Amino acid sequence: MERPRILIVGGGFAGLECARRLERKLSPSEAEISLVTPFSYQLYLPLLPHVAAGVLTPQSVAVSLRRSLRRTHILPGGAIGVDPASKVCVVRKVTDEVVAQKYDFLVLAPGSVTRTFDIPGLTDYARGMKTLAEAAYVRDHVIAQLDLASATLDQKERESRLQFVVVGGGYAGTETAACLQRLTTAAAHRYPRLDARQIKWHLIDIAPKLMPELGDPLGEAALEVLRDRGIEVSLGVSVAEVGAETVKFTDGRVLPCRTLIWTAGVAASPLIGTLDAETVRGRLAVTAEMRVPQFEGVFALGDAAAVPDLAKGDGAVCPPTAQHAARQGRAVANNVIASLHNQPLEPYYHKDLGLVVDLGGKDAVSKPLGVELHGVPAQVVARGYHLMAMRTNVAKFRVSTNWLLNATAGDDFVRIGFLSRQPARLRDFEYTDAYLTKDQVRAHAQSLLAKG
């Protein structure tokens, strides 16, 4: 008999943990496991600000899938549509070849993309912090602004190159602003023609509080750290318009600025829109067992699914965090195996262990198991948590060594020229225009199956 085909879409926290557990609990004769992912690594997303700041190398946060998985077939590409009626997933390989992958069980963990709004100039001039390539590009871009500001005699140009805006007062935006401000402050003494006081960082968010999930005391502690470093934090404010050399805020201010980093939230992968399924605020509506109820053999989890948060109750759904995604991956694997063996499925339940926010250096705010910490104790907890969450010992060693090296030897502020002559729009990094419509998915699925 032909083995059941289990297809996992996405190689992030959820997809990798699901594949690992399936490998451990199923023998090769019981099922064929495939993983669709454009990259051969699992990105440890929480540490991207450290990559942008040069504290960590890109490789240290890219955990090799082939080191973690032994017999899962990895298909290098992105899922661009799903036809549940035909049980087919349409995949565009990294070579742009489009193929149809048949499945018996489908695990959807495609993650999320940067959420944008209809703001003039935003998609043309904003930079994101959602992918490894974006983090590497942002570092190059920020150092390039220092280089160019030092080289020019035009005061207006210098002012626009030395003003940086980060939009989003959540964890990603706060850590990005904090880490990159430390980068430019440390770099300033390498530029004799620059006055460090001319380098200005702005963090803005439409919300009235910074990181409200942490609670008022820790949010205020983080705000105090940022303002003590000279970062101007504006709350209740958003972006009205973005230009090549200016940023206009909703409060009427216009800043000369050539760097706007957009971290104002995420949205579920556009892949979700190719299914004719119910959604909750753009995320797939699933049961507590993470089944998509409209389709047989389809599970969804992570950032792309509205998984009920049974620990909180009252109709809450799990937040899009790495902590939940990894545990959901293991739970879905158990439920796929239960489905194979005609056994009852188990609902997902996990009580949040807490939050950590690394502000660089000795500064951090953390809330492990409800205990509020800031300063050095919070930093110890934050970095310890990250090391424990890394999937392989090699990754743990690389990250800890990078932290130690940066703390003792500092940074050389090297610019590698990544994409220096090409546009760096959000869609160029996240490929959000690559997905098919529902009708195109069905047509592709039938056409490709007919050829096969």
Side-chain angles (χ1 to χ4, degrees), residues 90-110:
V90 182
V91 177
R92 177 175 281 122
K93 293 183 179 180
V94 292
T95 59
D96 279 339
E97 177 190 0
V98 178
V99 297
Q101 286 292 116
K102 297 193 70 175
Y103 65 83
D104 296 298
F105 293 93
L106 177 66
V107 177
L108 291 172

Side-chain angles (χ1 to χ4, degrees), residues 179-225:
C179 291
L180 286 174
Q181 185 272 339
R182 281 178 55 84
L183 166 70
T184 55
T185 299
H189 75 279
R190 306 274 185 174
Y191 294 85
R193 297 182 62 183
L194 292 185
D195 183 347
R197 293 172 294 183
Q198 293 179 300
I199 304 174
K200 300 182 187 299
W201 281 88
H202 304 263
L203 176 62
I204 72 168
D205 193 82
I206 194 64
K209 297 179 180 179
L210 195 68
M211 298 181 293
E213 300 90 340
L214 282 173
D216 289 348
L218 289 183
E220 289 295 327
L223 184 61
E224 185 178 347
V225 168

